[in-house]
Amino acid sequence: MTAATDTDRALVDRVAKGDRAAVRLLFMRHHARIYRFVARQTGSEMMADDIANEVFLELWRQAPNFEGRSEVSTWLLGIARFKALSLLRKKKEDWIDDEAAAAVPDSADTPEVVTMKEDKAAALRRLIDALAEEHRTVIDLAYYQGQSVTEIAAVLDIPVATVKTRMFYARKKLGEALKAAGYDRGWP
């Protein structure tokens, strides 16, 4: 097998044996996805970069323990989610960066500026961000990370039925919110 055709699982096996090139390949394949996921979870690109790099350090340490019960991408997203939640809990009270402060909607915008800002994709993202954390996370994993219900269950360490229930209510709330915002169709 060449590096281009190595499966993620085969690469994790190589990492478990101390192969640094395998870590680099997994990093190239998954870093952007993990970074985007953590950035959406934390609201901070700086935190996302640090956590995404920590995920690959954890991969290096934990590769011998990987049991293959989920896809490697799911396992890495689970590590990322755990690290993001841990860091947010530690820094909840004393952490806010300029990017997070800039993301707070400015109610002083003129109607023209507000109208220019609100295209359908931006409106949907704001509505997703307004959802409860449990609903926002399943939507993010399903639609922005492309994870299946089974993979989401593995990342969140909850039953598949719970994922389906959360997804149902998240879609329902988004549909209602989009309609209330003047969008007749629920999804773009």
Side-chain angles (χ1 to χ4, degrees):
M1 233 187 278
T2 67
T5 60
D6 278 347
T7 66
D8 286 349
R9 289 174 192 243
L11 289 172
V12 171
D13 289 341
R14 287 175 46 195
V15 171
K17 295 173 185 163
D19 186 342
R20 291 175 188 227
V23 173
R24 284 191 293 274
L25 283 170
L26 286 166
F27 181 90
M28 289 187 317
R29 287 182 186 176
H30 298 286
H31 183 268
R33 171 188 254 187
I34 291 168
Y35 171 84
R36 286 190 307 266
F37 173 69
V38 175
R40 280 193 290 273
Q41 295 298 306
T42 63
S44 167
E45 291 180 5
M46 193 165 84
M47 285 177 76
D49 194 42
D50 290 343
I51 291 170
N53 290 329
E54 285 181 31
V55 167
F56 290 94
L57 288 173
E58 196 68 26
L59 163 68
W60 179 257
R61 287 186 220 117
Q62 296 297 323
N65 301 328
F66 180 65
E67 297 174 357
R69 289 185 288 171
S70 64
E71 292 298 319
V72 172
S73 61
T74 303
W75 180 55
L76 294 174
L77 285 168
I79 293 170
R81 180 176 182 272
F82 176 78
K83 288 192 170 292
L85 289 174
S86 295
L87 192 58
L88 287 173
R89 283 186 194 115
K90 283 184 206 171
K91 296 187 175 193
K92 189 172 187 171
E93 292 180 9
D94 61 5
W95 172 82
I96 186 164
D97 66 9
D98 290 339
E99 291 176 29
V104 174
D106 182 5
S107 60
D109 284 345
T110 65
E112 293 83 16
V113 172
V114 171
T115 301
M116 288 177 6
K117 288 181 178 179
E118 292 189 347
D119 61 72
K120 196 166 190 176
L124 181 59
R125 187 69 238 178
R126 283 193 307 276
L127 294 171
I128 290 170
D129 289 343
L131 291 173
E133 190 270 335
E134 63 187 16
H135 294 138
R136 183 177 58 245
T137 301
V138 296
I139 292 290
D140 185 59
L141 287 168
Y143 294 103
Y144 291 95
Q145 301 302 321
Q147 298 287 298
S148 70
V149 171
T150 305
E151 291 169 328
I152 294 169
V155 168
L156 300 179
D157 195 26
I158 59 176
V160 170
T162 303
V163 173
K164 290 178 180 179
T165 300
R166 288 181 184 178
M167 187 66 72
F168 171 80
Y169 285 108
R171 286 179 184 153
K172 182 178 178 186
K173 289 175 190 245
L174 278 175
E176 292 168 356
L178 282 167
K179 189 172 184 176
Y183 297 101
D184 290 329
R185 294 183 183 169
W187 296 99

